[in-house]
Amino acid sequence: MRTAICSGSFDPITLGHLDIIRRAAACFDRVCVCVSPNAEKKNQMFTPEQKLQLVRAAVEDLPNVEAELWPGLLADFAAAHNASAIVRGVRNVTDFDVEYQMARINSGIHPGLETMLLPASAEYQHFSSSMAREMIRYHQPLEKYLPMSIIPLVRDMTEKKEG
């Protein structure tokens, strides 16, 4: 069974993230989504547990996709799940440069671990979790940015936080 890893901080998961996960799920027998708490990212809107809940709701219709939290190195998560590849989306040259460096680091930690870089689909190329958080903060319609299955959860989580 060929397993791939899709990872991110998913604060929150966007349609762009979900597009990469769906495309990976079409290429691999099993996809493990690694929700990584990223202490370096500022202004996080959701707790790690909430992010995991949102990711699980977003991938619920994908039978070969699972998700879990992982506080450690991505390469170690891949090894723990017997993955042959990490699949990452890239929106632009800057993303490519960062992901290329990470690919070299991950294969240095676990030789044989491949990284596949998928170009973002044109309709999601401008998406980011930062942009989605702004739309949430200012109570904008979310259907263009987030999976429909998570919008009620996002609204509930943010209303509880505000109230």
Side-chain angles (χ1 to χ4, degrees):
M1 179 181 324
R2 297 195 46 91
T3 300
I5 306 299
C6 289
S7 68
S9 57
F10 302 110
D11 191 42
I13 186 170
T14 67
L15 288 171
H17 293 130
L18 186 57
D19 180 59
I20 297 295
I21 293 166
R22 284 185 186 281
R23 289 162 61 196
C27 296
F28 289 87
D29 301 313
R30 178 174 163 235
V31 174
C32 299
V33 179
C34 177
V35 180
S36 301
N38 189 336
E40 293 180 15
K41 290 196 175 182
K42 302 201 183 327
N43 301 320
Q44 300 222 9
M45 182 171 274
F46 300 99
T47 67
E49 293 76 17
Q50 288 174 321
K51 293 175 194 181
L52 179 61
Q53 182 182 1
L54 293 172
V55 169
R56 285 181 172 162
V59 302
E60 194 171 49
D61 66 327
L62 301 172
N64 63 331
V65 177
E66 58 194 62
E68 63 185 89
L69 286 174
W70 183 264
L73 293 174
L74 181 58
D76 291 340
F77 181 86
H81 290 78
N82 297 314
S84 57
I86 295 170
V87 176
R88 300 286 293 169
V90 291
R91 296 170 292 186
N92 51 43
V93 174
T94 303
D95 282 356
F96 178 86
D97 288 343
V98 169
E99 295 301 337
Y100 182 80
Q101 290 174 351
M102 288 308 304
R104 296 302 102 218
I105 291 167
N106 288 329
S107 67
I109 295 169
H110 290 288
L113 179 60
E114 294 292 342
T115 297
M116 297 178 70
L117 302 178
L118 293 180
S121 296
E123 63 267 33
Y124 306 123
Q125 204 164 20
H126 64 287
F127 278 37
S128 70
S129 290
S130 300
M131 178 265 316
R133 286 193 302 275
E134 287 299 299
M135 296 299 121
I136 294 165
R137 276 190 191 97
Y138 293 104
H139 306 284
Q140 295 299 304
L142 301 175
E143 293 78 11
K144 293 180 187 175
Y145 313 105
L146 303 181
M148 291 297 289
S149 59
I150 73 164
I151 292 173
L153 290 169
V154 165
R155 292 289 187 210
D156 187 51
M157 289 172 183
T158 54
E159 286 170 10
K160 285 180 182 173
K161 192 175 181 180
E162 290 172 359

